[in-house]
Amino acid sequence: MTEAKKTAKLTIGENSYDLPIFSPTAGPDVIDIRKLYGEAGVFTYDPGFTSTASCDSTITFIDGGKGELLHRGYPIDQLAGKSHYLEVCYLLLYGELPSAAQLEDFESTITRHTMLHEQMVNFFRGFRRDAHPMAVMVGVVGAMSAFYHDSTDVNDERQREIASHRLIAKMPTIAAWAYKYSVGQPFVYPRNDLDYAANFLHMCFAVPAEEYHVDPILSRAMDRIFILHADHEQNASTSTVRLASSSGANPFACIAAGIACLWGPAHGGANQACLEMLKEIGGVDRIPEYIARAKDKNDPFRLMGFGHRVYKNFDPRATVMKQSADEVLDLLGIENNPLLQVAKELEKIALEDEYFAEKKLFPNVDFYSGIILEAMGFPTSMFTPIFALSRTVGWVSQWKEMIADPQNKIGRPRQLYLGETARDYVDIEKR
Ligand code: CMC
């Protein structure tokens, strides 16, 4: 924690209180209110945490106005263009880009942890065939705490590291098997000769009956999708992981909590919701109807894949994702796909519309990722699991940072209570 060089003065009635102000290396100053309740007897009120910094962190920085996303200081477009997912994982986890030897060692560790305990197969088989793969992921990742007892002691730094490696390594296997189970195909085991993204595509699309070759352009696109979702500072699912782990819960349980939070359509579930929306719109002629609905205050409908809590100019991940979408569609020769035509036209109309401009609503990462994943052959139900597997490194890095922080305390927000004050119990016959 840095030292406070400025203070803010808060006056309540006759009393005033000096509150320390911390200056970050980038971003707005932060007023420290930790002693406010003890000294002034008041809470602050901030539903949705729109003005609250819940922790200090050195991992990811976002400037929503500029459309900037940095991981350990490195811009996302440079990482997406020049790096690959496991190198970004190393950067997020350990704070610096790896040397060639460090990267080789890290890649070898992750590659050698990709298999699941064989008994976990039975766990998968216990789900209903029509289970959503996110339901399977929440269950199976939570169940890892029942299989990997030697990496659940959060007070042991080495166990924390092993748990981090296991989660990053096994998540593609879990996501791919959730998919295989849903389509009734045999599970495909990981292959150590393939890189992280190619291995995932192989586990999803290979079948025992014939050879499957991973197209390098598709595996590069997959790897980019992983990079672009790798971390995003204190978003809802990351904050969920931090809050869950603040009680000392084991890492597998905490990451399962993050997956559950990610599932919602306002967060990671938006990629599935966006594609479903495009399918529902069906043709360009119906776009004005949906734009009108999105603008109607009495209609809860929102254009999925548009808007962001932090980005108010553009989503830098969406810029890279759009490029990637063009490359993949070009490779697969599906520029004339009707869904794509709806997406392109919707993007154009929404960007020109005054309502969206005024409210600073731009296509976000989920708008384009769904288009790529659909083109690659993934069903919409797999979009959010792919987000979850990509974000695992972010959750794990933030979790590790938090546990190692001496200031770490159990998360315990307070409330503005508006219910009844104390009253006497009334016997049932008198009600
Ligand atoms: N379509 C139509 N209107 C919208 C949309 C949208 N997608 N998003 C926000 N608005 C309007 C909203 O109605 C509100 O209008 P008003 O001020 O008149 O009440 C205004 O814009 C501000 O919205 P908000 O809900 O207060 O903004 P927020 O910061 O709480 O919500 C959001 C951010 C991402 C949840 C929201 O924009 C949304 O629901 N978008 C669609 C879902 C989506 O694409 N989510 C993925 C986010 S990126 C990936 C990730 O981080 O998981």
Side-chain angles (χ1 to χ4, degrees):
M1 181 64 112
T2 56
E3 254 184 60
K5 297 213 174 73
K6 295 186 270 181
T7 53
K9 196 173 277 303
L10 174 71
T11 306
I12 305 175
E14 314 252 291
N15 302 318
S16 56
Y17 306 91
D18 285 329
L19 303 169
I21 298 183
F22 296 116
S23 294
T25 47
D29 283 352
V30 170
I31 302 173
D32 178 1
I33 54 154
R34 281 175 296 176
K35 295 197 175 137
L36 186 62
Y37 176 57
E39 290 176 2
V42 294
F43 297 141
T44 55
Y45 180 61
D46 185 19
F49 307 114
T50 54
S51 299
T52 296
S54 60
C55 60
D56 48 89
S57 180
T58 61
I59 302 173
T60 290
F61 173 73
I62 302 174
D63 182 328
K66 277 207 280 186
E68 182 176 66
L69 168 60
L70 309 176
H71 291 319
R72 304 286 191 183
Y74 296 102
I76 190 65
D77 55 322
Q78 290 186 24
L79 293 173
K82 298 182 180 181
S83 185
H84 64 276
Y85 183 67
L86 283 186
E87 188 179 51
V88 175
C89 288
Y90 186 98
L91 175 69
L92 288 167
L93 277 174
Y94 300 109
E96 294 296 337
L97 288 169
S99 66
Q102 286 167 328
L103 183 59
E104 196 186 322
D105 189 44
F106 181 68
E107 287 183 333
S108 147
T109 303
I110 297 300
T111 306
R112 276 157 190 78
H113 275 95
T114 47
M115 276 174 50
L116 295 177
H117 191 294
E118 192 58 20
Q119 256 180 282
M120 289 189 95
V121 171
N122 304 330
F123 201 82
F124 277 88
R125 295 202 198 286
F127 285 93
R128 267 175 65 133
R129 181 67 72 204
D130 58 357
H132 193 288
M134 281 298 275
V136 176
M137 284 189 87
V138 174
V140 173
V141 173
M144 284 174 80
S145 34
F147 287 87
Y148 301 104
H149 302 288
D150 57 345
S151 54
T152 52
D153 179 357
V154 295
N155 299 313
D156 180 328
E157 195 181 340
R158 179 66 189 136
Q159 291 205 24
R160 295 204 295 271
E161 179 153 53
I162 296 173
S164 308
H165 292 163
R166 281 186 169 143
L167 279 157
I168 295 166
K170 295 182 199 307
M171 207 61 90
T173 316
I174 294 172
W177 284 17
Y179 169 58
K180 284 299 201 194
Y181 186 71
S182 71
V183 289
Q185 289 181 5
F187 298 135
V188 174
Y189 286 81
R191 264 183 43 188
N192 287 0
D193 60 323
L194 296 175
D195 66 32
Y196 193 85
N199 182 45
F200 175 63
L201 289 173
H202 184 262
M203 288 190 290
C204 286
F205 296 122
V207 287
E210 58 188 31
E211 274 291 297
Y212 173 76
H213 291 290
V214 184
D215 187 303
I217 297 187
L218 292 188
S219 72
R220 177 73 192 127
M222 191 76 252
D223 192 77
R224 266 202 193 156
I225 289 180
F226 294 162
I227 294 177
L228 293 173
H229 289 93
D231 191 44
H232 217 223
E233 52 117 308
Q234 309 312 319
N235 57 84
S237 57
T238 302
S239 297
T240 300
V241 171
R242 280 186 179 257
L243 195 56
S245 79
S246 75
S247 71
N250 79 69
F252 306 111
C254 296
I255 301 301
I259 296 173
C261 176
L262 186 80
W263 195 353
H267 192 9
N271 50 17
Q272 173 173 350
C274 175
L275 234 284
E276 282 166 3
M277 174 192 77
L278 294 176
K279 283 181 179 162
E280 189 187 308
I281 296 175
V284 286
D285 53 318
R286 292 191 65 205
I287 292 176
E289 181 194 324
Y290 281 82
I291 296 267
R293 282 189 62 194
K295 287 158 58 172
D296 181 355
K297 281 231 160 280
N298 300 317
D299 189 330
F301 174 78
R302 285 187 169 201
L303 276 193
M304 299 315 286
F306 277 77
H308 198 273
R309 167 64 63 81
V310 183
Y311 295 120
K312 298 299 174 196
N313 192 350
F314 66 94
D315 179 343
R317 303 167 301 172
T319 314
V320 183
M321 200 68 95
K322 184 175 160 65
Q323 261 171 17
S324 225
D326 289 341
E327 272 170 36
V328 169
L329 297 168
D330 196 36
L331 171 82
L332 299 174
I334 43 177
E335 296 105 272
N336 293 326
N337 178 303
L339 206 65
L340 212 81
Q341 284 171 353
V342 173
K344 286 200 165 155
E345 194 58 21
L346 181 66
E347 178 198 20
K348 189 164 153 269
I349 295 177
L351 287 176
E352 285 165 357
D353 193 288
E354 212 177 295
Y355 172 93
F356 290 88
E358 188 202 310
K359 296 199 183 301
K360 301 188 185 302
L361 300 171
F362 300 85
N364 57 47
V365 68
D366 290 328
F367 186 73
Y368 302 105
S369 64
I371 295 169
I372 306 182
L373 294 172
E374 161 95 3
M376 280 179 168
F378 285 104
T380 49
S381 61
M382 274 303 286
F383 294 3
T384 318
I386 289 170
F387 191 158
L389 94 79
S390 321
R391 182 56 57 83
T392 297
V393 67
W395 292 328
V396 162
S397 304
Q398 303 266 353
W399 165 77
K400 274 182 74 202
E401 178 178 70
M402 177 182 158
I403 304 262
D405 183 350
Q407 298 193 94
N408 178 22
K409 280 175 176 254
I410 186 163
R412 176 55 171 94
R414 303 305 298 260
Q415 62 177 359
L416 167 63
Y417 177 68
L418 297 174
E420 298 288 347
T421 52
R423 50 180 170 166
D424 287 329
Y425 178 79
V426 181
D427 290 334
I428 196 156
E429 61 277 7
K430 294 196 180 139
R431 282 175 227 161

